[in-house]
Amino acid sequence: MRILHTSDWHIGRTFHGNSTMDALAEVLGALIVQVREHEVDVVVVAGDVFDSATPAGAAYTLLGDALLALHETGATVIVTSGNHDSAARLGFQARLLRDGIHVLTDPFAIGEPVTVTDDDGPVHFFGIPYLEPAIVRQHWADAELRTQAQTLAHAMAIVREGMQANPGRSVAVAHCFAAGVDATVGLEREVRQGGLDVVPLAVFDGPDYVALGHIHGRQQISERVRYSGAPLHYSFGEQNKPRGSWLVDLDATGLSSVEWLDLPIPRRLVTLTGPLDEILSDANVAAHADDWVCAVYTDALAQTEPMRRLRERYPHCAMVQHQPSETAETVERSYVDRLRGAVTDPERIEAFLEHVRSGHGATEREGELIREVLDDRVRAEALI
């Protein structure tokens, strides 16, 4: 049996204020072509289908179009909910879906598999929707469910019971933060609280393959436990991470092989670092004018209207940061102490500028302007 493992579509997510709907539609179109070309039997979407618990109408349209197109390839489609999804909204139409499309959002159905049969017999797919301990512990009063680790361990125990009741090969689908992953800093909405909610690898013992969602970068936790990551770049922190899906083959005895399938990147992401004039150079513009650009300029002082200047050269500049490459030596005295030690007005202004500009005082031209303003004030006061 051939399975395509994808996750974290995040339909409706914006990229620094820009819609990603068209780009995601393009990428999902390429994924559907791969499903057809590789004769995939089952497509697994491991959570975070939507980016919001209240998706806009266009997000439902894109999801419906994608599910229908996948179904038309002949593949069975199995979707679970993630922490960004509203399980109720994602699952409300599950009973209306045609045969071959399964949306699994009910925690009470974890032990009831979706079964797909090939020449070697049945393969049982157990879908675990995202489980928030504070919400689901009321359903399993006999279990201590304080953390994600405890909750996933309980869910996987239910899966193993389902495996005993349904002999054959098996695949588990879950959405969580597993031990050993390398997350993109500041991107994945934290499932963890401290280190308590990291789910140990041993929790996933049993199934022939475990398809995980939540981490946006491709990850291999073990040969049979993997994250596929998101199909689209949603952060500059992801820019060097490939986009794609895992193509999983099961033979008569279990996991046979796993292959990575790359997806196209509609618009590359690049971070340009250096002085602002260097970032705006003709050579950089020629290489990156069509890319999403994050500009990190290292000039000692903040520049005037950097985003406007950047967008004149880079139409898709999405982010600008000022990170001086060198800062003046830290003065041990506090700002209050420096003010107390200042005798003249120019000294007081200099102390303020050093405080708000990482130790850099007035430039030569700024010093001239400060003296001119102060002289004007003295002359004005003399006429009163």
Side-chain angles (χ1 to χ4, degrees):
M1 182 168 293
R2 179 158 285 180
I3 303 161
L4 189 81
H5 167 197
T6 177
S7 72
D8 294 273
W9 290 2
H10 286 279
I11 302 173
R13 193 182 188 111
T14 59
F15 179 76
H16 295 277
N18 299 279
S19 172
T20 63
M21 295 288 280
D22 290 343
L24 182 58
E26 177 184 339
V27 172
L28 293 180
L31 182 146
I32 291 161
V33 170
Q34 290 177 342
V35 169
R36 183 176 292 107
E37 290 179 344
H38 290 274
E39 298 181 336
V40 171
D41 300 298
V42 180
V43 176
V44 169
V45 187
D48 278 356
V49 178
F50 294 125
D51 187 63
S52 166
T54 56
Y60 284 103
T61 300
L62 179 54
L63 175 61
D65 290 345
L67 293 180
L68 179 59
L70 286 170
H71 180 267
E72 289 176 346
T73 68
T76 298
V77 185
I78 298 173
V79 181
T80 61
S81 52
N83 58 301
H84 279 253
D85 299 309
S86 162
R89 285 188 171 87
L90 183 61
F92 85 98
Q93 56 184 350
R95 293 184 180 180
L96 305 178
L97 295 173
R98 63 193 65 201
D99 290 341
I101 302 177
H102 305 269
V103 179
L104 309 180
T105 62
D106 184 0
F108 291 109
I110 289 172
E112 302 171 10
V114 173
T115 300
V116 183
T117 302
D118 65 5
D119 292 340
D120 296 314
V123 177
H124 306 292
F125 292 81
F126 295 89
I128 304 175
Y130 173 70
L131 302 174
E132 178 59 50
I135 296 175
V136 300
R137 71 168 63 110
Q138 61 182 316
H139 303 314
W140 296 303
D142 295 336
E144 183 179 357
L145 305 180
R146 298 284 176 185
T147 67
Q148 278 288 309
Q150 292 171 333
T151 305
L152 261 294
H154 183 73
M156 282 301 300
I158 295 174
V159 167
R160 283 186 282 271
E161 291 175 359
M163 290 169 58
Q164 291 181 354
N166 298 273
R169 296 159 294 168
S170 59
V171 173
V173 185
H175 195 88
C176 66
F177 199 110
V181 301
D182 179 22
T184 301
V185 176
L187 180 65
E188 287 89 5
R189 186 178 298 170
E190 289 289 343
V191 176
R192 302 176 294 170
Q193 296 178 3
L196 296 179
D197 285 350
V198 176
V199 180
L201 177 60
V203 165
F204 302 107
D205 287 349
D208 295 288
Y209 183 78
V210 179
L212 295 180
H214 181 57
I215 301 302
H216 284 201
R218 177 183 67 184
Q219 302 273 336
Q220 178 179 335
I221 309 304
S222 74
E223 184 62 26
R224 59 179 193 83
V225 182
R226 300 172 186 247
Y227 288 91
S228 64
L232 197 65
H233 287 123
Y234 288 114
S235 163
F236 282 103
E238 300 177 329
Q239 66 190 50
N240 296 318
K241 296 181 178 182
R243 303 289 89 172
S245 308
W246 291 113
L247 188 66
V248 181
D249 280 330
L250 302 182
D251 60 18
T253 61
L255 184 62
S256 174
S257 66
V258 183
E259 175 187 355
W260 177 254
L261 297 182
D262 281 310
L263 284 169
I265 298 173
R267 191 182 303 283
R268 294 184 307 166
L269 279 67
V270 63
T271 299
L272 302 178
T273 303
L276 186 58
D277 286 343
E278 179 183 308
I279 293 174
L280 293 169
S281 67
D282 290 342
N284 268 330
V285 172
H288 302 294
D290 293 328
D291 298 341
W292 287 118
V293 171
C294 171
V296 181
Y297 71 93
T298 59
D299 303 72
L301 299 178
Q303 300 296 294
T304 303
E305 297 184 301
M307 180 59 87
R308 179 189 61 77
R309 295 167 62 188
L310 285 160
R311 284 188 171 166
E312 287 176 351
R313 303 281 274 164
Y314 301 100
H316 307 290
C317 182
M319 187 176 183
V320 60
Q321 297 178 342
H322 181 214
Q323 294 182 7
S325 57
E326 296 181 2
T327 57
E329 202 171 302
T330 303
V331 180
E332 293 298 328
R333 292 186 305 161
S334 70
Y335 176 49
V336 172
D337 289 337
R338 292 202 299 273
L339 280 180
R340 286 173 178 167
V343 176
T344 66
D345 284 343
E347 288 176 346
R348 295 186 183 95
I349 294 171
E350 183 74 5
F352 172 76
L353 291 175
E354 289 178 351
H355 176 65
V356 299
R357 299 203 305 198
S358 302
H360 291 280
T363 64
E364 182 177 347
R365 177 57 182 152
E366 287 172 340
E368 293 174 358
L369 292 171
I370 290 169
R371 286 191 292 273
E372 289 177 9
V373 171
L374 292 176
D375 288 346
D376 288 345
R377 190 192 69 175
V378 170
R379 285 192 292 269
E381 289 177 348
L383 296 175
I384 297 176

